[in-house]
Amino acid sequence: MIPVQGVTDQTIAVLGLGRSGKATAAALQAGGAQVVVWDDGQEARAQAEAEGLEVRDLTRDDAWTGIATLITSPGIPHLYPNPNPVIAKALEKGIPVDNDIGLFFRSFATRDWDEFDTMPRVITVTGSNGKSTTTALIHHILQSVGRPTQMGGNIGTGVLSLDPAHDGEVVVIELSSYQTDLARALTPDVAVFTNLSPDHLDRHGGPGGYFAAKRRLFSEGGPDRCVIGVDEVEGRYLANQMGQGPGDDRVIRVSSGQKLDGFGWAVFAKKGFLSEYRKGRQVASLDLREIGGLPGAHNHQNACAAYAACRAVGIAPRDIETAFHSFAGLPHRSQTVRELNGVRYVNDSKATNIDAAEQALHAFKRIRWIAGGLGKDGGIAALQDHLGEVVKAYLIGHSARDFALQLGDTPHEVVDTMEAAVARAHAEAEPGETVLLAPAAASFDQYPNFEKRGEHFAAIVNAL
């Protein structure tokens, strides 16, 4: 646990009692704060009381006496589409609102660091797609070369549940737009931006607000190095904003598909090969094509981002390449579940939006595509030009029939359930084909989250 600094004898309110809320309450108490908590759910409040926490109804005006700060869980809206009523009261009263990320960045460095030979460093990763894989890959590389490292944030351990830093440690943190949007302190040493595609637009008031939430990590965080994917205009804009010209090597531009040789520092993948350029000259190259845990161009972009971040903390190219080969990939992200009778079964349940599904559809050949769930605005119409490798689609969930209307001449079948989709694809698949779960939709019609959807798919496949 990382005790929160600067809160001794203050009364701090915590809104939301999920994993991060409970960890925040404990870290605040460890830092000497008096903590009061509130959750909209009665069961969560009862559990908090049973654990000895003071539950205070923050929907009441008289509950705010003496409260210095409100700490909110990331899933609770603080601005769009409407602030949670408790947050709205804090805003009206002028009480600062923060989250666990802000507390982490103001509390991670301690006086113990004066005794360290090598200062700990923090690498943060944000973006729309690929941030979990990139985060896990950076962490894996650090482990492979023997660097002390921890991983947390939006993946794995909550930031305040991490251990205090060790000498020379590198902490790798995945950050969502919900987390970067509100944090009052953001001070990473290396910040990574993978890419941007429309997502969470209601929460951020549109695409501009969504990008602005990501951008805060760079513009307000002031990292020593910025690793920025420049395959979209937002990334190019961000790289332009953070650098003092094309030769500024504090910005490492990253791409999958375009050559970047006119900049101070760049890493790109083209035709399956990763290249690192410094001041217009190639300084390293490695082959990504046979790395099983990183299939497809989208994972090659993730590899470039992870490579650049690790180079920024002094890891040698060949050590990174060796670590790439031992990376198994993350569950639910282009994860090969099994090969059976010459057919590959791939779980990409995390492909909950159009852009992620598009990347998956370009990563494999001769695809039997399982798609559907709770569709997002526009359905899958935008994928019309990316279905060339789809032999047949098997459509499940709430939006199955809407998706069917958007598939045009692509062979498809509405099967409704995962069991039926896997059974039909298994019966019809031929050697050399891939049965791919890439839903292009949320999971909440049939599953509590994308992980449970992916686990169900894997369980059915493993039982074939």
Side-chain angles (χ1 to χ4, degrees), residues 215-233:
R215 183 178 178 274
R216 287 190 76 244
L217 181 61
F218 299 81
S219 60
E220 299 191 26
D224 296 331
R225 297 278 185 191
C226 301
V227 176
I228 301 176
V230 294
D231 288 334
E232 295 87 28
V233 65

Side-chain angles (χ1 to χ4, degrees), residues 20 59 66 84 124 142 168 201 205 216 234 243 272 274 290 314 321 377 429:
S20 68
T59 64
N84 176 278
T124 56
L142 292 164
L201 300 188
R216 287 190 76 244
E234 292 88 355
L274 180 151
E290 300 303 319
E321 181 178 18
D377 289 347

Side-chain angles (χ1 to χ4, degrees), residues 62-83:
D62 59 5
W64 290 86
T65 302
I67 290 177
T69 306
L70 173 67
I71 308 299
T72 180
S73 295
I76 299 174
H78 58 269
L79 185 57
Y80 302 115
N82 293 293

Side-chain angles (χ1 to χ4, degrees), residues 126 192-194 211 214-219 226-230 232-243 251 253:
T126 194
V192 179
F193 175 87
T194 58
F211 176 53
K214 302 285 190 185
R215 183 178 178 274
R216 287 190 76 244
L217 181 61
F218 299 81
S219 60
C226 301
V227 176
I228 301 176
V230 294
E232 295 87 28
V233 65
E234 292 88 355
R236 294 190 288 274
Y237 173 83
L238 181 59
N240 184 277
Q241 288 277 296
M242 298 307 298
V251 176
R253 288 168 170 82

Side-chain angles (χ1 to χ4, degrees), residues 105-118:
F105 276 111
R106 82 184 212 193
S107 305
F108 187 53
T110 67
R111 290 180 179 176
D112 293 340
W113 291 23
D114 293 341
E115 307 300 321
F116 290 167
D117 292 327
T118 304

Side-chain angles (χ1 to χ4, degrees), residues 74 78 99 101 105 124-132 134-135 154 173-183 185-188 190-201 203-223 225-229 232-239 241-242 350 353:
H78 58 269
N99 61 17
I101 303 301
F105 276 111
T124 56
V125 182
T126 194
S128 296
N129 298 308
K131 58 184 179 291
S132 293
T134 301
T135 302
N154 203 46
I173 300 175
E174 178 189 335
L175 294 177
S176 72
S177 58
Y178 291 4
Q179 294 168 311
T180 58
D181 196 19
L182 188 62
L186 288 166
T187 54
V190 179
V192 179
F193 175 87
T194 58
N195 51 57
L196 197 82
S197 60
D199 210 355
H200 309 305
L201 300 188
R203 175 65 182 266
H204 296 293
Y210 178 52
F211 176 53
K214 302 285 190 185
R215 183 178 178 274
R216 287 190 76 244
L217 181 61
F218 299 81
S219 60
E220 299 191 26
R225 297 278 185 191
C226 301
V227 176
I228 301 176
E232 295 87 28
V233 65
E234 292 88 355
R236 294 190 288 274
Y237 173 83
L238 181 59
Q241 288 277 296
M242 298 307 298
K350 184 61 170 66
N353 58 40

Side-chain angles (χ1 to χ4, degrees), residues 361-377:
L361 291 170
H362 284 295
F364 305 98
K365 303 293 184 184
R366 297 171 58 194
I367 297 168
R368 293 191 178 269
W369 179 31
I370 299 175
L374 190 61
K376 300 185 178 181
D377 289 347

